[in-house]
Amino acid sequence: MRTFVYTSHPSRVVFGAGTVGRLAEEVERLGCSRVLLLSGGHLAAASARARHALGGLLAAEFDGAAMHTPVEVTEQALEVVRESGVDGIVAVGGGSTTGLSKALALRTGLPQVILPTTYAGSEVTPVLGETRDGRKVTRSSPEILPETVVYDVDFTLSLPVSLTVTSGVNALAHAVEALYSEEANPVTDQQALDAVSRIARALPRLAADPADVDARADLLHAAWLAGTCLATVGMGLHHKLCHTLGGSFGLPHAETHTVVLPHAMAYNAPAVPGVMRRIADALGVPDAPGGVYDLIASLGGPTSLRALGMPESGLARAAELATSTPYPNPRELTTDGIAELLAGAWRGRRPEGPPATETELARLTEQVVASFAQAPDPRVRTLLSDLVRHLHTFVATNDVTQAEWQYAIDFLTRTGEICSPSRQEFVLLSDTLGVSSAVDLLTNSRTPHTTPSAVLGPFYVEGPPDTPHGGDISGELPGIPLWVDVRITDTAGEPVEDAVVDVWQSNEDGFYDVQLPDLEGPVLRGRLRTGIEGRLTFWSILPSEYPIPEDGPVGQLLKASGRHPFRAPHLHFMVDAPGHRRLITQLFVSGGAYLDSDTVFGVKDDLVVDFEPQTGPTPDGRPVDGEWRRLTYTFRLAPLAG
């Protein structure tokens, strides 16, 4: 059992595109009527939009926010606060502007609204780092935490790719350190891993297309998650090094984070191998420190402290400062160890990673992924890139042998060879692996008051014979007679006219007509159309449980895994109606076999219905000796979107 303590730091978050339009509302919500607008010299366009949104609430401005929050700048801004008599602060910008806002709030108690333009994440932390006399000091207090954060994706669209990369890696650092913090807990672990995955996906997309709004939103979402993690569990070695290098040597904040992160991870990796494996999985690489370095390098980000202006002569002093008052860290800090870490970061050397085979595999994976970078369709690019990463990870994790690979190729070859117009073994494979049901669930997540969908299955045949109302699709095959009386309605319960309904099923022995070569023509399948009442009726026979075909590769897979091949008894329906979404579904016989272990995972509780036993007169006067069944059901269709 994992023992942990979780403390949340509540702040209000407004997230979306165009949310600057809610800025005045959020300011007034805090009881403010005269606010100070903070920004930096390069944020004129963003400041203008915030100024316009604030309107008459704006009382004063200060545009001198500086990196690492020098106390002398804070004193200048404090003078503006005193002179203007403001009752709140609105900060537009990245970590520098947010830092100044926090410093003012700590000294004055004024409420804060932050509108970030980068991915720093500090806007959701109660942490403030200030620089005085060339030394950066960090403190944490509830009074530092901003009350409200307004995330507007539109404010990040103009951020240059170079700053997007370094700011995004800054957020990545928050998530990484949260995972090996001594205060780590299951909540922040999930948030951190989600952030890592989002950052790894979004940064390459933005390098290819900086105007990709969805990728911008993904990265901003990740920044929020990562900042929340940092606020909850605190910081470690990486942040200590960056604060030292920034505060004492004047190195740029986000760029320093970007260079140092893979080296700090490599230093801590021996102490937290499990954490590094989880980070590697989230990144889709075999080695976390090397994977982060490779990601940065592939995006053109900075990889050496030397390039940032760090003098080699200052490395020893930096190591001494970092180890003199260390942050909590999973691996003991030694001056020699940190000096070696900084030397590698100064030279831009790739951190030593896993054995050579895993390194080469990681590079191979990235080479293959990179080959799709120019795919004209972004969706194709994303699907193929993710597929390759998952396949390569599967191969590496399971140490797949040449013989196993060859068997898999032969298996897929046999699957293709057995396919025919009347048999789709690949669909059967998808069904038995649950992929068909997963896609159905994601694609057809139903709206309220509509009938659930189900998998199509491998035995549907285009163009079934037209069947009149009250007709019989059984072809006189033996079985318990079944009278089907169904209605097709919309979500309001109004009948749907001119719906085309295809039905198909197995016989009493569990075979479909396409599996019985001696049958002449299609049976146990038909096509009916609804009239003005949205109703259709027909005769058939009671469907029974049946095994899916076992004479092919899929049957061999089931036998090898000790699974049975049976499907629960059901009747297939495909409903097409003008102005409505197509519905593909199945109705399962209540009380039938295998309802709890259907081999294609197709049973849904709402689709298990009564096929009621009957005797005596039938609805249309058809003579039936003995038992017959009645199925009465109403299908509710969703309207077409738009």
Side-chain angles (χ1 to χ4, degrees), residues 101-102 105-107 109-110 112 126 140-147:
S101 178
K102 289 179 173 181
L106 182 64
R107 290 163 171 81
L110 292 176
Q112 309 170 71
S140 180
S141 168
E143 291 78 18
I144 294 171
L145 180 70
E147 282 75 9

Side-chain angles (χ1 to χ4, degrees), residues 167-196:
S167 185
V169 177
N170 187 8
L172 179 62
H174 302 334
V176 165
E177 290 230 301
L179 287 162
Y180 56 65
S181 167
E182 62 181 10
E183 298 171 321
N185 60 76
V187 177
T188 55
D189 283 2
Q190 286 298 110
Q191 292 175 324
L193 291 171
D194 188 6
V196 171

Side-chain angles (χ1 to χ4, degrees), residues 13-24:
V13 171
V14 179
F15 191 101
T19 49
V20 68
R22 297 179 58 176
L23 186 58

Side-chain angles (χ1 to χ4, degrees), residues 128-166:
L128 169 63
E130 294 183 287
T131 304
R132 183 191 297 271
D133 300 327
R135 186 159 186 161
K136 193 165 187 177
V137 178
T138 301
R139 69 178 88 179
S140 180
S141 168
E143 291 78 18
I144 294 171
L145 180 70
E147 282 75 9
T148 303
V149 182
V150 178
Y151 287 107
D152 190 333
V153 176
D154 294 344
F155 272 58
T156 66
L157 293 177
S158 60
L159 192 67
V161 170
S162 59
L163 293 179
T164 297
V165 171
T166 55

Side-chain angles (χ1 to χ4, degrees), residues 322-404:
T323 53
S324 62
T325 53
Y327 295 169
N329 194 66
R331 182 181 175 189
E332 181 184 1
L333 304 189
T334 65
T335 303
D336 289 345
I338 299 306
E340 183 179 352
L341 181 163
L342 289 172
W346 188 82
R347 294 182 176 86
R349 186 173 59 224
R350 186 181 189 275
E352 184 177 346
T357 299
E358 293 184 4
T359 303
E360 290 303 313
L361 180 58
R363 290 175 180 166
L364 170 64
T365 301
E366 292 311 309
Q367 285 177 342
V368 178
V369 169
S371 72
F372 303 125
Q374 303 306 314
D377 186 331
R379 179 64 172 168
V380 170
R381 181 170 64 244
T382 298
L383 289 175
L384 289 176
S385 297
D386 281 359
L387 175 64
V388 166
R389 286 195 175 99
H390 285 296
L391 284 175
H392 285 215
T393 299
F394 174 84
V395 169
T397 302
N398 292 282
D399 197 15
V400 173
T401 66
Q402 185 75 23
E404 290 167 337

